[in-house]
Amino acid sequence: MNLKRMLVLSVLLAMVVSVVSACSGGKEETADGGKLEKVTFLYPGDETDRFSEFIDNELAEKLAKDIGIELDVVFVPWSQYWEQKDIMLAANEPIDLFWDGLPDLSTIVNKKQAQPLDDLISEHGQDLLKVLPMEHLQGAKINGQIYGIPSAYAPSSAMYQLVAVRQDIMDAVGMTDLNTPEDLKEFATKAKDKFPQMKGPADIIFKPLTRYFADEQYNWIASEDLVVFGEDSKKAYSYFETQAFQEVAKFNRTMNQDGLYSEDLTIKYNERDTRMQTGLYLWVEGSLGKEMEIIHSVQSNAPEAQLKSYLLAEEKPRYIIATGGEVIGIPVTAPNPTGAMKFLNWLYSSQENYLFALYGVEGKDYEVTDGRITKLTSSEFFYEWMFRNQNYQLFTPDVSQEAIDQYKSWDNEAIISDSLGFRFNNEKVKHLETALKEVAGKQFAAIRSGFVDFDKEYPKAVQQLKAAGIDEYVAEVQRQLDEFLADKS
């Protein structure tokens, strides 16, 4: 056989081996000849050296040993995540797990992005069910089937209705409490005078303000903040037409007119958490424990910073309105849905695995002393908020016992909303929803932020909302809501 023919045969053999390997379902051999099942996780955020090292080494070794899984994490920057997620899932990219917002679950389902998980949970999620009660998982139901794993199983009443503020600056300007919008304005005014280097509020906090101004408590039950549920009336309302929204917009207008808001609060609204973490801003919308989540990021830029969360209109009732703001889904086209559920089940199967995934290697990346957790490096691993579970959650030494006790007892006197578990299915009104979201983004965002004259712009915006079909949209929400409430009773 001549050399040229040998080279051709070698190339052909290499191609055959490559094809066989590619058709093996993404599985690779372990040292003992076994097969690892590949699970691909589409993950929002930037890749870091230590996190990648951890995934490729310590985590890979443990997952291979414990459940025979090889985890591939595909990082997508936050600014591109939602667009790239839609593109990759539409193109049937081999994704087994992805993260998204729970309020958008019906859209996710109707886009055929997520598959029902009931059978997978039953067969491969037994450990998961020990720390995530079924009533928690039912918060991700559409048409009677579970389509995701809701994150943040933790105290949740008055979710998104709190305000996380710079307590050190409040102390410095002589204020002791925040309970009204007027208190907020006073705080911003005094802080501007005494700390001119500060850039004001990081957020317009329209949900905490809505809590204060609403005659009955509202929670949001459709896309893009379009529709709210009235806790007393059990009715669905067009949020932008409520009296509470109008009062929020008018208050925010005065904040703009007094030079207390920057234009970024309107044009870069979604960067509010990033702003707060620069250490140059006064407050951001929060939920219980938000100050614990972000304090270290804030202190990395402002070492003297202290945060505390306040609930406006504290005397009003607190409702448990959601099982978490986010959800982990398994795509309809996932190559390995069983492996994906096995990974989630593994993470929740013990506190050891939970802390390992969220904080790294004990003794190297973190340590636990007297029930408190201390990070030994600044490295970030899987987001704590994405997988938070009150059965396993630990607090850092700088969190007071008083704050921990308040956190753990927060829901003791809360009221479970009758809308808990309701997920609006937008299938019949997708065309309306698209038009309404455009009006909300182009017209009402600036009004809500107080960035434009309310008396001039609000009537015109409502006309556009009506023309886009808000009444028909709300009627469909109400129809589904009535069915949901009837089934519950």
Side-chain angles (χ1 to χ4, degrees):
M1 185 180 295
N2 61 41
L3 181 60
K4 182 176 181 181
R5 188 175 180 187
M6 288 178 65
L7 287 171
V8 170
L9 287 174
S10 296
V11 171
L12 289 173
L13 180 59
M15 291 174 65
V16 169
V17 170
S18 176
V19 169
V20 170
S21 176
C23 294
S24 64
K27 298 180 180 180
E28 296 185 3
E29 287 194 2
T30 62
D32 61 2
K35 298 291 185 181
L36 291 180
E37 297 182 31
K38 186 174 182 179
V39 172
T40 302
F41 189 174
L42 186 64
Y43 188 81
D46 296 320
E47 188 171 4
T48 63
D49 292 341
R50 174 59 187 136
F51 192 12
S52 295
E53 178 191 23
F54 171 73
I55 292 168
D56 294 340
N57 295 282
E58 295 100 337
L59 182 62
E61 181 179 347
K62 188 163 179 59
L63 289 178
K65 177 183 177 182
D66 290 356
I67 54 174
I69 292 292
E70 174 202 355
L71 185 68
D72 178 26
V73 180
V74 178
F75 293 89
V76 179
W78 277 104
S79 60
Q80 305 168 25
Y81 180 75
W82 284 274
E83 180 181 4
Q84 288 301 311
K85 178 202 67 124
D86 285 349
I87 291 172
M88 294 175 76
L89 293 181
N92 295 333
E93 293 283 341
I95 302 299
D96 298 300
L97 285 168
F98 70 96
W99 169 92
D100 210 317
L102 188 57
D104 296 324
L105 187 62
S106 66
T107 299
I108 295 167
V109 171
N110 290 329
K111 285 183 177 180
K112 311 298 183 186
Q113 292 183 345
Q115 63 175 275
L117 305 182
D118 302 74
D119 291 342
L120 286 170
I121 293 171
S122 177
E123 294 172 20
H124 305 288
Q126 294 306 307
D127 293 318
L128 179 149
L129 287 175
K130 294 176 183 177
V131 294
L132 290 176
M134 187 54 71
E135 57 264 28
H136 180 75
L137 298 178
Q138 287 176 345
K141 271 190 172 183
I142 296 286
N143 296 330
Q145 292 184 295
I146 298 170
Y147 279 90
I149 307 297
S151 62
Y153 175 53
S156 63
S157 58
M159 183 176 286
Y160 310 128
Q161 294 181 353
L162 290 95
V163 189
V165 309
R166 283 286 298 271
Q167 183 63 42
D168 56 307
I169 295 181
M170 267 190 63
D171 293 341
V173 300
M175 293 188 65
T176 58
D177 195 21
L178 289 176
N179 193 51
T180 69
E182 289 72 27
D183 293 339
L184 285 167
K185 189 170 186 178
E186 180 184 356
F187 175 39
T189 303
K190 288 183 174 181
K192 183 178 181 181
D193 292 339
K194 190 163 186 174
F195 299 95
Q197 74 277 17
M198 298 295 292
K199 297 184 178 181
D203 186 6
I204 59 168
I205 56 164
F206 75 93
K207 289 185 178 180
L209 290 171
T210 299
R211 170 185 173 82
Y212 180 86
F213 286 118
D215 290 334
E216 63 174 322
Q217 288 302 290
Y218 292 141
N219 75 78
W220 281 258
I221 56 173
S223 181
E224 292 291 318
D225 304 320
L226 292 170
V227 181
V228 289
F229 171 76
E231 294 290 354
D232 297 332
S233 63
K234 316 302 179 192
K235 296 295 184 183
Y237 301 101
S238 166
Y239 172 60
F240 296 124
E241 296 179 72
T242 63
Q243 186 63 38
F245 171 79
Q246 296 176 55
E247 296 301 324
V248 169
K250 291 174 183 176
F251 171 77
N252 284 334
R253 181 60 178 161
T254 68
M255 294 290 282
N256 269 286
Q257 290 174 323
D258 291 346
L260 300 173
Y261 281 173
S262 72
E263 65 177 16
D264 282 352
L265 274 61
T266 299
I267 63 176
K268 297 179 180 179
Y269 171 74
N270 289 329
E271 296 179 15
R272 52 195 176 150
D273 282 342
T274 303
R275 282 193 291 272
M276 188 67 185
Q277 292 173 38
T278 64
L280 295 172
Y281 290 84
L282 300 177
W283 69 66
V284 69
E285 179 193 280
S287 52
L288 189 66
K290 177 68 172 277
E291 68 276 16
M292 303 178 199
E293 294 177 23
I294 66 174
I295 182 59
H296 295 294
S297 296
V298 176
Q299 288 178 340
S300 67
N301 295 303
E304 74 285 358
Q306 297 295 323
L307 301 181
K308 183 176 179 179
S309 291
Y310 290 87
L311 184 66
L312 299 188
E314 190 174 8
E315 68 283 358
K316 292 184 177 181
R318 299 198 306 267
Y319 287 88
I320 298 175
I321 59 176
T323 55
E326 293 83 32
V327 66
I328 302 290
I330 297 178
V332 172
T333 56
N336 189 6
T338 297
M341 184 57 65
K342 286 181 178 179
F343 168 71
L344 293 174
N345 188 68
W346 169 86
L347 190 150
Y348 286 115
S349 64
S350 68
Q351 188 179 55
E352 176 189 355
N353 290 349
Y354 175 87
L355 295 178
F356 183 71
L358 274 53
Y359 295 99
V361 179
E362 186 171 9
K364 178 178 181 179
D365 300 299
Y366 77 93
E367 63 183 10
V368 177
T369 304
D370 296 329
R372 299 296 189 98
I373 190 166
T374 301
K375 294 181 66 173
L376 301 177
T377 72
S378 60
S379 302
E380 296 292 335
F381 297 87
F382 286 108
Y383 296 124
E384 191 272 345
W385 54 261
M386 189 178 284
F387 297 99
R388 180 176 302 152
N389 189 281
Q390 63 186 19
N391 295 284
Y392 297 145
Q393 185 177 6
L394 295 180
F395 300 89
T396 56
D398 56 343
V399 178
S400 70
Q401 189 60 47
E402 179 185 3
I404 295 174
D405 292 342
Q406 181 196 43
Y407 180 88
K408 291 183 176 180
S409 63
W410 182 254
D411 282 351
N412 287 359
E413 298 181 5
I415 302 169
I416 297 177
S417 171
D418 286 335
S419 69
L420 180 65
F422 174 72
R423 290 285 169 255
F424 175 57
N425 187 337
N426 68 350
E427 184 69 25
K428 294 182 179 179
V429 289
K430 285 191 292 187
H431 62 295
L432 295 178
E433 189 172 271
T434 299
L436 291 166
K437 287 165 68 174
E438 183 174 358
V439 174
K442 289 185 176 180
Q443 306 300 326
F444 282 98
I447 295 171
R448 180 184 64 189
S449 301
F451 197 58
V452 296
D453 182 80
F454 177 84
D455 293 331
K456 179 180 178 182
E457 300 300 330
Y458 181 71
K460 294 188 294 185
V462 169
Q463 285 184 342
Q464 293 185 42
L465 196 68
K466 293 291 190 185
I470 187 63
D471 291 338
E472 183 180 346
Y473 186 81
V474 172
E476 176 61 19
V477 176
Q478 186 68 60
R479 184 188 68 78
Q480 293 184 30
L481 182 63
D482 289 342
E483 290 181 357
F484 173 82
L485 295 174
D487 289 342
K488 285 186 70 172
S489 62

